[in-house]
Amino acid sequence: MQGESLLETLDRQAEAWNERPLLRSLYREWQRLAVAHLSAVPGESVELGAGIGRFKDVAPSVRATDVERTRWAEEVVDAENLPFDAATVANLVLFDVFHHLARPARFLDEARRVLAPGGRVVIVDPYCSPVSTFAYRHFHRELTDLDAAPIEPDERVAASPLASNQARATLVFFRHADRFRRRWPELEIIARRRFAVFLYALSGGYSRRPLAPAALYRPLAVVERLLAPLAPLAGFRCLVVLERRVGEHQTETRAE
């Protein structure tokens, strides 16, 4: 909510997680999707912006970090200034985090530096389809600006760890994907998927009242899969997987 601190928001999300089985089922499905795309190359796997730490339920070996100290984070890590040596990280996981980055170019520079050859960035983030853009703008507190510059710094997002532009992943990896590829040829987009056509909206997310009972999750999930082809028009979420190309020399220095 407006004016909340990060810790207050996380406490509220933890309460919602415990009280909303439909939300848990939905996120579990997305978490398993992310796990399926993790790289098996040697190196550490790190979740950035771990929030209430539920990704570790499905991937216990992934280190949970956050931009501030929380009771769920094992370490404080700034995604724009990663404390890892070059070519040492197997995976960077960003679950509902990429749209909170005020300087996405700095993060992508850092990802290019720290990932081992074959290492991956696995992103699950809001997607701005025509339907979801309308919903985000009218029923969600976070900024959704599809006219923003895709990779340039955004001081509106730098205001706090909770500030964001929900359009960021859509801009960088879909609308301006060619620009991304030119800027970071070492980070190959190996998977890009849009999903969550209607079930996420019915779940209410973390902040709104659920519109369907948890007992209907299985039949609703079947309908969700049948409607998957509509995701470009109505999807609320996307998966993007970047892989560090094997054979590229990693001589970059830490982003300043």
Side-chain angles (χ1 to χ4, degrees):
M1 299 297 180
Q2 191 72 26
E4 279 187 338
S5 69
L6 176 60
L7 293 179
E8 288 170 334
T9 295
L10 294 181
D11 284 339
R12 181 170 53 81
Q13 289 182 352
E15 183 178 352
W17 178 273
N18 292 331
E19 294 178 350
R20 301 182 181 189
L22 181 60
L23 180 70
R24 291 199 304 273
S25 296
L26 195 58
Y27 265 83
R28 283 284 183 252
E29 180 180 338
W30 299 352
Q31 290 165 348
R32 288 191 290 268
L33 176 65
V35 169
H37 286 84
L38 294 178
S39 173
V41 301
E44 186 170 24
S45 293
V46 180
E47 183 184 10
L48 301 172
I52 59 174
R54 308 319 308 190
F55 190 72
K56 283 187 73 70
D57 295 343
V58 297
S61 64
V62 175
R63 190 200 307 185
T65 74
D66 218 323
V67 70
E68 292 182 7
R69 189 173 302 281
T70 75
R71 68 173 181 268
W72 298 279
E74 300 168 64
E75 184 179 350
V76 175
V77 171
D78 180 355
E80 298 174 5
N81 189 27
L82 297 174
F84 311 119
D85 293 334
T88 60
V89 175
N91 294 285
L92 294 170
V93 179
L94 291 83
F95 217 100
D96 285 344
V97 169
F98 188 77
H99 63 292
H100 288 283
L101 300 179
R103 300 169 184 83
R106 288 181 60 170
F107 163 71
L108 291 166
D109 285 343
E110 282 286 78
R112 177 177 56 186
R113 178 182 68 83
V114 305
L115 284 176
R120 294 179 177 179
V121 180
V122 179
I123 296 168
V124 176
D125 219 53
Y127 176 73
C128 290
S129 65
V131 171
S132 67
T133 298
F134 176 86
Y136 285 143
R137 286 176 172 170
H138 290 83
F139 303 107
H140 201 282
R141 64 179 177 81
E142 294 181 70
L143 174 70
T144 303
D145 183 5
L146 282 165
D147 295 320
I151 62 174
E152 284 72 18
D154 190 336
E155 293 308 314
R156 298 172 300 177
V157 180
S160 81
L162 296 174
S164 70
N165 178 8
Q166 293 193 108
R168 182 70 84 179
T170 306
L171 292 170
V172 175
F173 303 116
F174 291 88
R175 293 196 174 191
H176 299 277
D178 288 343
R179 182 177 177 187
F180 166 80
R181 292 184 179 101
R182 290 192 300 269
R183 174 75 178 267
W184 291 278
E186 307 90 343
L187 297 176
E188 181 181 1
I189 301 175
I190 64 166
R192 196 173 57 167
R193 174 180 168 187
R194 293 164 285 197
F195 56 95
V197 173
F198 83 105
L199 189 47
Y200 172 69
L202 292 182
S203 78
Y206 281 102
S207 59
R208 305 189 71 87
R209 183 175 61 84
L211 300 177
L216 292 181
Y217 172 74
R218 290 186 181 277
L220 289 174
V222 172
V223 177
E224 179 79 55
R225 287 191 288 273
L226 293 174
L227 295 178
L230 297 178
L233 295 176
F236 279 76
R237 282 291 188 275
C238 64
L239 166 80
V240 177
V241 183
L242 314 176
E243 184 169 287
R244 186 60 159 96
R245 287 185 173 181
V246 176
E248 297 286 348
H249 296 293
Q250 295 186 300
T251 58
E252 300 85 359
T253 58
R254 186 183 303 277
E256 297 299 334

